[in-house]
Amino acid sequence: MKKYALVLPMLLSVIVLTAFQSKSTKSLTKNITDISNYENTSDMDGKTIFMSKGCALCHHLQEEKMGPSVKDIAKAYAGKKDDLIKFFKREGKPIVAPEDFAVMSANLFATKRMKDEALSALADFILSVK
């Protein structure tokens, strides 16, 4: 029984959290699961890439939550699309919330593997948010 003493509370937490998930969160989770190999697809739009990699979990469009808002990122990188793409490739320094770069750094391994067309589409989507 001791063996399950830690597993049962964790399992209960997962069940409770799942029960309280909103419909949009479930939709986002499904989208992330459905599109796992988009790096090999050049015709995906930037919004789909943004959603499929879970960017929206931390980066909300208009307000700061866990990470800076997409609106703030777009404002900081306005006219600097190439710099944003370099950041996605881990070739450029962050200009939005550089103090939080350590948290974001792990997520950049996914964008670093993306094709240039996909990175360009992602950057276009971010820069389009006003």
Side-chain angles (χ1 to χ4, degrees), residues 12-125:
L12 182 58
S13 296
V14 169
I15 292 169
V16 169
L17 287 173
T18 302
F20 287 106
Q21 278 185 328
S22 69
K23 185 177 180 182
S24 63
T25 303
K26 287 181 182 179
S27 175
L28 177 62
T29 304
K30 182 183 181 320
N31 193 22
I32 292 168
T33 304
D34 288 347
I35 309 170
S36 59
N37 293 318
Y38 70 89
E39 293 92 348
N40 299 322
T41 306
S42 61
D43 62 346
M44 290 187 103
D45 65 88
K47 183 177 181 181
T48 303
I49 295 168
F50 184 83
M51 298 301 289
S52 72
K53 277 303 183 189
C55 305
L57 296 173
C58 296
H59 299 286
H60 293 225
L61 292 181
Q62 298 295 323
E63 57 187 89
E64 186 173 320
K65 292 291 183 180
M66 286 188 70
S69 70
V70 178
K71 179 181 173 181
D72 290 343
I73 296 168
K75 184 186 259 186
Y77 281 97
K80 302 176 188 173
K81 179 180 175 180
D82 290 340
D83 290 343
L84 183 55
I85 292 172
K86 284 180 185 175
F87 175 72
F88 291 149
K89 292 180 173 185
R90 296 185 63 133
E91 296 171 359
K93 295 184 186 270
I95 60 174
V96 180
E99 66 279 3
D100 296 331
F101 179 68
V103 175
M104 180 65 187
S105 180
N107 299 316
L108 293 177
F109 286 107
T111 56
K112 186 176 181 177
R113 296 186 333 227
M114 291 169 54
K115 291 183 177 183
D116 288 340
E117 297 87 8
L119 290 174
S120 181
L122 179 58
D124 286 341
F125 167 70

